[in-house]
Amino acid sequence: MESSRTKEKASSLRWQILRHALLPRNSHPKPHEESETRIKRISRRTTHGFNLIHCHEVKVNADDECDSNKSNGSTMDMRVCYTLPVPGSPQLFLTQRVENHAQLSDFEICNRYNIDNTGLVCNWPSEDVLAHFCLSQADIFRSKKVIELGSGYGLAGFVIAAVTEASEVVISDGNPQVVYYTQRNIEANSRAFGDTVVKSMRLHWDQEDNIADTFDIIVASDCTFFKDFHGGLVRIVKRLLSKSASSEAIFLSPKRGNSLDLFLGVVEENGLNFSVTEKYDTEVWKRHEGFLNGENRDSWPSYEKDHCYPLLIRITL
């Protein structure tokens, strides 16, 4: 007879993930090995993702730690060094939240601003792929004004600013806590940007703004999952793109059931054009196939094409 543990439902496992994130680290009970394995398989998070841009955590001096970012006696922040696979390019040092350090106040802020909390969790796999794609297509950003929407920690925006000689890069998110980290990271990496002007911005997709018709290129990753946000996201893309014939929005997003198709339907309803490309980069596709055929399954046990592999969407006026 199957044990009750093997019948554990996905919803129960997801509650365990949330509990693990909210409890102080030193109060975590030691998980049962089988339960821990099931949690890893049901969770869509992954530590390494496509692993296209090498990163490692670097030690932060005690003097650099901010008291407001400490919880239960331990710091909530870590500093991550990203080494770009381009000869002569600078390293990027991004301060971000330590894994499994969500607070109830995070969700209160989400409710207050009508946003989600995903940008604080980690750099998500599609952001890694977007950063890699921008590196491989650096020429299209040269001398252009660029904005990243729903940036989270903004790896792609920082890569564009450091490598492509864009004239201006705005890294935006609707979550004020995320924007706080972005501004800190802009200041910490200012020497890496050369003549590129780099700014942070709190930008909710439903807000009115005074930056219409401003940007040559919009980039975004994994921003189409929440269906309630589709209308605002499409409208702000239409509002922010300059009227230049070469202006475009570059999205990388998995299908996630019907969420991407519904988003593209809203794109059409708003009179915009789009194209979808599945095989857009040799290295990304190679790693995708490795996850599917089991070569790299141990590093991403919950990998599914529909939910994890980001398609390339290009949107134009």
Side-chain angles (χ1 to χ4, degrees), residues 3-13 16 34-35 38:
S3 68
S4 59
R5 191 178 302 277
T6 61
K7 294 179 180 178
E8 202 165 16
K9 293 183 179 180
S11 59
S12 174
L13 292 169
Q16 290 184 48
E34 183 181 352
S35 181
R38 286 171 166 270

Side-chain angles (χ1 to χ4, degrees), residues 7 15 25 33 52 68 81 93 113 128 132 139 164 240:
K7 294 179 180 178
W15 276 113
R25 179 162 295 193
E33 182 178 352
L52 295 158
S68 64
C81 174
F93 294 86
Y113 291 95
D128 177 50
H132 168 82
D139 287 348
T164 69
L240 295 181

Side-chain angles (χ1 to χ4, degrees), residues 129 133 137 252 277-282 284 309-312:
V129 177
F133 179 81
Q137 304 290 323
L252 279 166
T277 306
E278 183 179 51
K279 295 177 68 173
Y280 49 85
D281 183 273
T282 302
V284 175
Y309 179 73
L311 300 171
L312 173 65

Side-chain angles (χ1 to χ4, degrees), residues 193-205:
F193 305 141
D195 295 330
T196 301
V197 176
V198 187
K199 303 175 182 177
S200 63
M201 174 183 288
R202 188 174 76 81
L203 182 62
H204 194 288
W205 298 336

Side-chain angles (χ1 to χ4, degrees), residues 30-49:
K30 185 176 181 180
H32 186 282
E33 182 178 352
E34 183 181 352
S35 181
E36 181 74 3
T37 300
R38 286 171 166 270
I39 289 173
K40 287 181 179 180
R41 289 189 175 277
I42 199 65
S43 173
R44 295 301 183 178
R45 286 192 53 198
T46 174
T47 303
H48 301 291

